[in-house]
Amino acid sequence: QVSLEEFGGGLGQAGGSLSVACAASVYIFRWYDMGWFRQAPGKEREFVSAIHRSGDNKIYADSVKGRFTISRDNAKKTVYLQMNSLKPEDTAVYFCAAGPELTIESDSYRYWGQGIQVTVSS
């Protein structure tokens, strides 16, 4: 069974921290790289971060570099996104995705979660 489910998120304050997690099926975690994307109201979906299936390589959007950290626990089949120094512009629905290559291109990701809301107040 192929599935992705996001957890966490919610409401945070500017300068604070939140985290989101994504639980995946065994099939996905064995063969795919994992990414996080977000979509704010009225805007297109944008890349946030991605991590190689080995956990060794990670990439970040410039807008979150130095503030967000992606990680994965292969034993728990879960990928995490720790978000620090939050800004109101981080407010969006966050999606996890699985794909065959480490890339910022959303079209390359084959499986998507339903998304979870993250709201940052000023």
Side-chain angles (χ1 to χ4, degrees):
Q1 182 178 358
V2 176
S3 65
L4 295 171
E5 186 176 6
E6 297 95 343
F7 298 92
L11 177 64
Q13 291 187 331
S17 299
L18 285 173
S19 63
V20 288
C22 174
S25 62
V26 172
Y27 172 78
I28 286 179
F29 243 70
R30 183 173 297 171
W31 299 112
Y32 289 97
D33 303 328
M34 301 296 295
W36 285 100
F37 290 77
R38 67 186 182 186
Q39 187 167 18
K43 295 187 177 181
E44 293 186 353
R45 189 174 297 184
E46 65 174 1
F47 170 78
V48 177
S49 183
I51 186 168
H52 189 265
R53 68 203 69 179
S54 69
D56 291 339
N57 294 328
K58 306 171 185 179
I59 52 176
Y60 295 94
D62 288 343
S63 60
V64 305
K65 198 171 295 183
R67 300 189 298 120
F68 289 12
T69 302
I70 191 170
S71 61
R72 64 191 291 162
D73 185 332
N74 287 344
K76 295 182 178 179
K77 303 183 293 293
T78 302
V79 60
Y80 305 94
L81 186 68
Q82 177 65 39
M83 302 178 287
N84 298 329
S85 301
L86 287 166
K87 303 176 180 180
E89 50 263 44
D90 293 322
T91 295
V93 176
Y94 283 70
F95 299 86
C96 68
E101 62 176 321
L102 193 66
T103 177
I104 67 172
E105 300 297 333
S106 61
D107 289 346
S108 293
Y109 289 84
R110 297 181 182 175
Y111 304 106
W112 291 82
Q114 292 298 309
I116 193 163
Q117 180 69 45
V118 170
T119 302
V120 182
S121 62
S122 57

